[in-house]
Every structure is written in C-alpha cells, then in structure tokens.
Amino acid sequence: AQERTLSIIKPDAVAKNVIGEIYTRFEKAGLKIVAARMAQLSREEAEGFYAVHRERPFFKALVDFMVSGPVMIQVLEGENAIAKNRELMGATNPKDAAPGTIRADFAESIDANAVHGSDGPDTAKTEIEYFFGR
Ligand code: CMP
C-alpha cells in the first residue's frame, strides 16, 4: 500500500555531510520526499519524540546525542514506505547492519546510528504528526 513514514538524518550523518547521499538512496528506492525540515532539536522535543524509550537505560545518551547538532527530518512516501525505509537503513546497531545499508555505510555505533525511521503504521502516524502536525 502507499504509505508515509518519518525519517530523521541524525547529527552524526548531518556532520558527515551525507544528507544528499542518503536522500539519493531514498529516491533510488522509489521513496518520495514529501516534506522536509532541518532542525536543532531542544531537549524537550527530543525527549517527547523518544518518550516510549523514557525508562530505557540508553534514554539520556540518546537525547544527549539527538540534541548535539542539527538533524534533517523528512516524510517519505511510497509503496511500503515504512518497511522499505527500514530495509534501506539496516539494523539499529551498525555492527549488525547488512552491507550496503545506510547504517552499515555511514554509522559508527548504536547511539550514533545515522538515521531513524518509524517502525510501523501507528508510530509513523504519530511521528509525522509530532514534527509536521501544524
Ligand atoms: P532509533 O531508531 O532512532 O530509536 C531509538 C534509538 O536509541 C535507536 O535508534 C538507537 O540509536 C538508540 N539506542 C541506543 N541503545 C539502544 C538499544 N540497546 N536498543 C535500541 N536502541 C538503542
């Protein structure tokens, strides 16, 4: 089905100057960038976005990292966009990410892992609303 998903290019990948290379991967896979905005997230925004992880041991490190520099936030649209984006990203931990995926090619660690992508239809809806709701 035609879907929309939320994607974030994280501070590590923005600092590496690979926004364009990552956008090219989305576009070559048939995903259309239908909204985009660069932002320096505040702690409140980052904590709110990752609220489901609030009790996890890595929460503070995750928020510290997400506010460490600008991020590029986009909505991707296309056939099976949610799964397709997750395929392009590769596993959360770049050590486990398949060769040729964004995380295998651009990420250094499970914290600095280059990109975020919604993990299902419900989170996609919530996450798109969170950043592009008004
Ligand atoms: P992301 O897809 O943005 O969602 C939550 C992030 O937390 C995840 O990518 C990782 O960058 C980070 N993280 C750090 N440690 C872990 C962990 N043990 N499990 C899952 N995510 C982790």
Side-chain angles (χ1 to χ4, degrees):
Q2 282 292 121
E3 289 175 342
R4 288 184 168 194
T5 189
L6 187 92
S7 158
I8 303 177
I9 301 178
K10 298 188 181 185
D12 58 324
V14 172
K16 271 190 181 164
N17 217 18
V18 293
I19 294 172
E21 287 192 50
I22 294 173
Y23 270 27
T24 298
R25 291 181 184 213
F26 295 153
E27 292 177 339
K28 289 223 159 104
L31 295 176
K32 198 169 255 192
I33 296 151
V34 297
R37 154 164 91 84
M38 185 171 257
Q40 168 64 59
L41 299 181
S42 66
R43 290 200 76 83
E44 292 65 32
E45 280 176 302
E47 287 172 359
F49 181 75
Y50 282 120
V52 293
H53 296 305
R54 205 175 279 277
E55 303 306 325
R56 308 283 288 274
F58 57 81
F59 183 69
K60 186 177 179 295
L62 172 60
V63 171
D64 286 345
F65 175 64
M66 291 301 287
V67 304
S68 68
V71 295
M72 192 73 195
I73 312 167
Q74 44 283 325
V75 177
L76 307 178
E77 183 181 271
E79 189 64 24
N80 283 321
I82 298 166
K84 200 175 273 182
N85 181 42
R86 292 183 70 77
E87 224 175 273
L88 293 174
M89 291 194 297
T92 304
N93 190 339
K95 289 186 179 71
D96 305 326
T101 60
I102 293 169
R103 283 165 171 159
D105 291 345
F106 301 121
E108 304 303 332
S109 69
I110 193 165
D111 294 298
N113 68 349
V115 281
H116 167 84
S118 309
D119 64 5
D122 294 344
T123 44
K125 192 168 184 295
T126 312
E127 292 181 356
I128 290 169
E129 178 73 15
Y130 190 81
F131 283 121
F132 295 98
R134 82 196 91 192

